[in-house]
């Protein structure tokens, strides 16, 4: 896929996110907008069959920061897992598009997530399962930065290294903000790159995790027998000027006026 | 009579199961010697994963492994394998209804000397409240074997509660076929019925012997599957015996006793009802037999309770 195509896709997904969350009057636009390139970058390189989402040999994708489900749902719809029209059912009664991803309900969701800190462990188990069965599929997981405050994430990192899971790629959406403020105000992550290297990752730090070319190159890069970690500096609320780097948009839905303003900024 | 802990029977059953089911893998959290998954590890080293002292990661990794077609059995002590990781089990295993088996050992006060911090008397409550979860507690080694196979056959999450202490392996008429969700009547009676599970089945049988010496005919029913409850059997024996006792090595809050109480009320069966269990308190150090006595769970205490409550 060309960079132009992927950039257009990311922009489309951002419009979907704004529309979905506005339509639901509920959801998490800031983090959804910041991780779009990480999701699209992964799906652009993954083996999957949208018509047969349970294909056992498929690559797996886990959105550990499950509250950013709108970004994943939009990507899944745009990649053909379910009709684009269904996106407007987000967070409604009986919808397959639950507030947080539900793998029992929604095609293309490989793990039910939402309770932070757990998706990386699930992804570790998937990668371990692949190794155990000598299967070639790969596992991608996107985690938040605030999510790294959960101790379980580091248990999972330890296990990924211990079992040499070079089929696992952990992508960290490092936008620097969480609900109650900046990471440093809430609970400092400290020397994050050093910590990740010390836990045994092949670390690739991206100066701009909202640059699809950087993301794709990092996903394609070799990992030398270690689990790979892509530490991506991103912008919370990316693409919508009044949401960018504004913690107030972590979990707030735009009203119609704000929706139209955002969509205008996200035009081709 | 042969004595064997259900945790040892579990380790042995895993080996047999793994021989006929290539999907089976086992995860442990640095307690493999205590949970007896070392038996499995020695037989199938490439199918045993020690996840270190990191229970949360263990159960969620098991969820991920099940998503690749494997059938993971996770083991550690019940206190850590249910309480510490309750929300991991709820959200990552039960909510997506994944095929993960949680076989946790050292449940109840019969853990003994390690004391209250290590004696889980809440695990049944924690697991049975979760939708999609099946809850089993086998009474002896043979039943443990059958429970492990039944759990593997069921496509969904199962909690199996296992004991540290050695207990008799039932023989002859006490050896019953195991059917998931179907209680086994081990002793018929007409004056009282004692429902129990796990190591308390043996105590209840001994209590029934003592009661017989006092002219009281007590039925003993092994409710090895706590969820789903065999409501038909419970209602039948409650209606027949009228004096209902539930004996469990668990808090009286949230255990089998409360499940049966609800079944009786909703089933319209009027019976005199008594819960024999850990009375809303923590465990402590001591020898298993001393603790059962202290907490009113040994055979003599059960018999005394029945005699004092029966009408």
């Amino acid at each position: 896929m060309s960079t132009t195509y992927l950039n257009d896709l990311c922009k489309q997904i951002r419009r979907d996110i704004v529309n979905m969350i506005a339509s639901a009057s509920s959801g998490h636009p800031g983090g959804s907008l910041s991780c779009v390139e990480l999701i699209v970058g992964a799906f652009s390189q993954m083996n999957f069959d949208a018509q047969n989402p349970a294909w056992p040999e498929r690559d797996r994708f886990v959105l550990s920061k499950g509250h950013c489900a709108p970004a994943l749902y939009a990507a899944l719809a745009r990649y053909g897992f379910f009709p684009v029209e269904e996106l407007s059912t987000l967070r409604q009664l009986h919808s397959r598009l639950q507030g947080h991803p539900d793998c029992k309900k929604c095609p293309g969701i490989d793990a039910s997530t939402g309770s932070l800190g757990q998706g990386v462990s699930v992804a570790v188990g998937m990668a371990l399962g692949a190794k155990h069965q000598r299967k070639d599929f790969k596992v991608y997981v996107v985690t938040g930065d605030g999510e790294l405050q959960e101790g379980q994430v580091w248990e999972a990192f330890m296990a990924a290294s211990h079992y040499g899971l070079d089929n696992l790629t952990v992508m960290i959406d490092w936008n620097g903000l969480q609900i109650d403020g900046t990471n440093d105000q809430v609970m400092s992550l400290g020397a994050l790159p050093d910590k990740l290297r010390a836990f045994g990752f092949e670390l690739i730090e991206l100066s701009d995790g909202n640059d699809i070319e950087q993301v794709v190159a990092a996903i394609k890069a070799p990992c030398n027998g270690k689990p790979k970690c892509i530490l991506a500096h991103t912008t919370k609320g990316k693409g919508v000027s009044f949401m960018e780097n504004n913690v107030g948009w972590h979990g707030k839905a735009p009203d119609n006026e704000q929706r139209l303003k955002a969509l205008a900024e996200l035009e081709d | 009579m042969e004595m064997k802990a259900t945790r040892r029977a579990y380790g042995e059953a895993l080996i047999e199961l793994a021989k006929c089911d290539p999907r089976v893998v086992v995860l442990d959290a640095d307690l493999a010697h205590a949970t007896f998954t070392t038996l499995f590890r020695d037989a199938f080293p490439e199918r045993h994963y020690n996840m270190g002292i990191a229970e949360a990661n263990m159960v969620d990794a098991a969820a991920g492994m099940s998503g690749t077609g494997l059938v993971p059995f996770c083991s550690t002590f019940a206190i850590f394998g249910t309480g510490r990781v309750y929300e991991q089990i709820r959200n990552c295993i039960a909510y997506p209804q994944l095929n993960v088996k949680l076989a946790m050992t050292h449940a109840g006060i019969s853990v003994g000397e390690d004391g209250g911090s290590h004696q889980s008397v809440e695990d049944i409550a924690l697991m049975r409240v979760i939708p999609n979860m099946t809850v089993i507690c086998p009474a002896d080694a043979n039943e443990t074997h059958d429970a492990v196979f039944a759990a593997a056959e069921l496509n969904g999450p199962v909690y199996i509660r296992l004991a540290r202490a050695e207990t008799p392996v039932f023989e002859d008429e006490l050896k019953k076929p195991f059917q998931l969700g179907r209680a086994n009547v081990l002793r018929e009676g007409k004056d009282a019925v004692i429902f129990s599970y796990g190591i308390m089945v043996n105590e209840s049988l001994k209590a029934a012997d003592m009661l017989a010496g006092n002219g009281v005919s007590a039925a003993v029913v092994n409710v090895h599957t706590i969820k789903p409850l065999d409501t038909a059997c419970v209602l039948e024996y409650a209606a027949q015996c009228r004096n209902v006792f539930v004996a469990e090595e668990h808090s009286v809050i949230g255990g089998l006793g409360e499940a049966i109480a609800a079944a009786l009320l909703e089933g319209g069966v009027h019976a005199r009802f008594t819960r024999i269990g850990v009375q809303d308190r923590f465990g402590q150090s001591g020898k298993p037999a001393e603790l059962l006595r202290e907490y009113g769970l040994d055979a003599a205490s059960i018999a005394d309770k029945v005699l004092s409550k029966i009408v």
Side-chain angles (χ1 to χ4, degrees):
Chain A
M1 294 296 168
S2 71
T3 301
T4 311
Y5 173 85
L6 294 177
N7 275 327
D8 288 348
L9 180 58
C10 289
K11 205 169 253 185
Q12 178 61 61
I13 286 170
R14 286 200 163 83
R15 290 195 293 270
D16 290 337
I17 290 168
V18 168
N19 279 323
M20 291 167 81
I21 295 175
S23 167
S25 300
S26 151
H28 299 83
S32 297
L33 291 166
S34 79
C35 67
V36 170
E37 282 75 14
L38 298 180
I39 294 174
V40 169
F43 274 81
S44 74
Q45 301 303 310
M46 282 163 53
N47 284 317
F48 60 86
D49 178 357
Q51 302 311 307
N52 181 17
W55 178 42
E57 308 304 319
R58 72 191 184 281
D59 290 336
R60 265 67 168 181
F61 182 88
V62 178
L63 183 66
S64 193
K65 44 179 291 180
H67 57 285
C68 299
L72 179 55
Y73 293 148
L76 290 173
R78 296 293 166 185
Y79 274 102
F81 282 86
F82 52 82
V84 168
E85 298 71 47
E86 200 171 332
L87 291 177
S88 62
T89 69
L90 175 74
R91 288 178 169 246
Q92 289 177 16
L93 188 64
H94 303 311
S95 171
R96 297 197 289 183
L97 311 187
Q98 293 288 296
H100 295 81
D102 182 339
C103 65
K104 273 190 84 181
K105 291 194 168 71
C106 183
I109 300 291
D110 287 324
S112 294
T113 53
S115 173
L116 295 178
Q118 300 188 40
V120 184
S121 293
V122 174
V124 161
M126 289 172 171
L128 198 53
K131 290 270 182 197
H132 181 84
Q133 297 169 89
R134 296 185 168 74
K135 293 188 171 190
D136 290 331
F137 64 79
K138 294 184 164 53
V139 183
Y140 299 89
V141 54
V142 171
T143 172
D145 46 12
E147 185 173 6
L148 300 179
Q149 291 155 0
E150 291 278 7
Q152 185 181 341
V153 173
W154 301 90
E155 294 181 7
F157 288 171
M158 201 161 24
S161 180
H162 179 80
Y163 283 109
L165 301 179
D166 55 4
N167 53 350
L168 174 72
T169 298
V170 176
M171 297 189 272
I172 300 174
D173 184 14
W174 198 4
N175 60 40
L177 295 176
Q178 52 192 111
I179 300 181
D180 282 347
T182 65
N183 296 154
D184 282 340
Q185 285 169 336
V186 177
M187 180 56 64
S188 301
L189 299 172
L192 196 48
D194 292 344
K195 287 179 179 174
L196 293 165
R197 274 192 209 96
F199 270 72
F201 280 108
E202 182 72 27
L203 184 73
I204 302 175
E205 191 169 352
L206 303 185
S207 59
D208 185 359
N210 295 122
D211 175 346
I212 192 71
E213 281 190 278
Q214 282 193 28
V215 173
V216 169
I219 289 171
K220 285 180 172 173
C223 57
N224 305 316
K226 296 176 177 179
K228 186 193 287 183
C229 178
I230 300 174
L231 180 58
H233 291 269
T234 56
T235 300
K236 194 153 185 160
K238 177 73 182 179
V240 178
S241 60
F242 58 93
M243 291 184 181
E244 283 191 5
N245 291 315
N246 183 340
V247 77
W249 287 99
H250 174 90
K252 188 174 78 171
D255 60 24
N256 196 46
E257 190 182 326
Q258 291 162 329
R259 180 180 74 91
L260 294 172
K261 195 173 165 205
L263 290 177
E265 292 186 17
L266 292 167
E267 279 308 311
D268 290 320
Chain B
M1 194 182 276
E2 186 192 357
M3 301 288 283
K4 190 187 277 189
T6 54
R7 59 176 166 142
R8 179 183 284 279
Y10 163 63
E12 292 170 355
L14 282 176
I15 296 172
E16 201 184 314
L17 175 68
K19 283 178 183 162
C20 54
D21 190 342
R23 304 172 304 160
V24 171
V25 292
V26 174
L27 290 80
D28 211 307
D30 195 37
L31 283 170
H33 285 90
T35 63
F36 279 111
T37 68
T38 43
L39 301 177
F40 177 90
R41 187 194 66 191
D42 293 345
F44 297 101
E46 74 290 354
R47 293 166 74 176
H48 184 276
Y49 291 94
N50 204 323
M51 303 305 284
I53 309 170
E55 297 81 7
N57 184 57
M58 173 176 73
V59 298
D60 278 348
M65 291 178 96
S66 81
T68 69
L70 296 170
V71 180
F73 278 72
C74 280
S75 293
T76 178
F77 289 179
I79 189 78
F80 314 128
T82 61
R84 188 186 187 98
V85 296
Y86 170 77
E87 198 254 355
Q88 280 81 3
I89 293 171
R90 184 216 185 259
N91 272 328
C92 283
I93 294 174
Y95 180 53
Q97 207 169 0
L98 295 179
N99 201 15
V100 176
K101 316 305 169 187
L102 304 157
M104 303 302 170
T105 68
H106 294 63
I109 56 171
S110 60
V111 166
E113 291 82 350
D114 275 355
S117 62
H118 282 54
Q119 295 166 353
S120 173
V121 292
E122 312 86 13
D123 52 310
I124 296 289
L126 289 172
M127 292 299 103
R128 66 178 270 266
V129 75
I130 304 177
N132 297 334
M133 187 65 76
T134 295
V135 179
I136 307 172
C137 181
D140 79 339
N142 291 322
E143 199 164 87
T144 302
H145 168 277
D146 293 353
V148 166
F149 276 73
E153 208 163 288
L154 184 83
N155 184 17
V158 179
Y159 174 58
I160 306 176
R161 179 193 223 223
L162 301 164
R164 169 174 184 259
E166 291 191 338
T167 46
V169 181
F170 294 145
E171 293 164 357
D172 305 323
E173 73 277 11
L174 294 179
K175 196 172 170 182
K176 300 279 186 190
F178 179 91
Q179 198 181 337
L180 198 69
R182 192 64 67 83
N184 281 327
V185 179
L186 299 187
R187 182 182 177 120
E188 294 289 352
K190 59 180 177 52
D191 302 325
V193 55
I194 307 170
F195 296 106
S196 64
Y197 59 88
I199 69 158
M200 293 299 288
V201 171
N202 185 50
E203 297 300 323
S204 300
L205 286 167
K206 287 194 289 183
D209 281 341
M210 297 172 185
L211 288 164
N214 285 283
V216 172
S217 160
V220 175
V221 180
N222 174 13
V223 189
H224 51 68
T225 307
I226 292 123
K227 184 187 174 185
L229 183 65
D230 187 350
T231 306
C233 175
V234 165
L235 295 184
E236 181 190 342
Y237 276 78
Q240 176 186 310
C241 301
R242 292 288 159 188
N243 290 283
V244 174
F245 298 84
V246 183
E248 55 187 325
E249 192 198 7
H250 184 274
S251 173
V252 291
I253 297 172
L256 178 67
E258 289 195 348
I260 287 180
L264 297 182
L265 282 168
E266 289 177 345
V269 171
H270 296 276
R272 191 170 173 87
F273 178 81
T274 305
R275 294 174 297 170
I276 302 170
V278 178
Q279 301 293 330
D280 197 18
R281 59 192 280 218
F282 290 111
Q284 60 181 302
S285 291
K287 291 188 167 45
E290 292 172 341
L291 288 164
L292 289 182
R293 180 82 194 158
E294 166 67 22
Y295 285 77
L297 302 182
D298 67 332
S301 301
I302 296 170
D304 286 349
K305 183 65 89 174
V306 171
L307 287 173
S308 72
K309 292 283 187 177
I310 198 168
V311 288

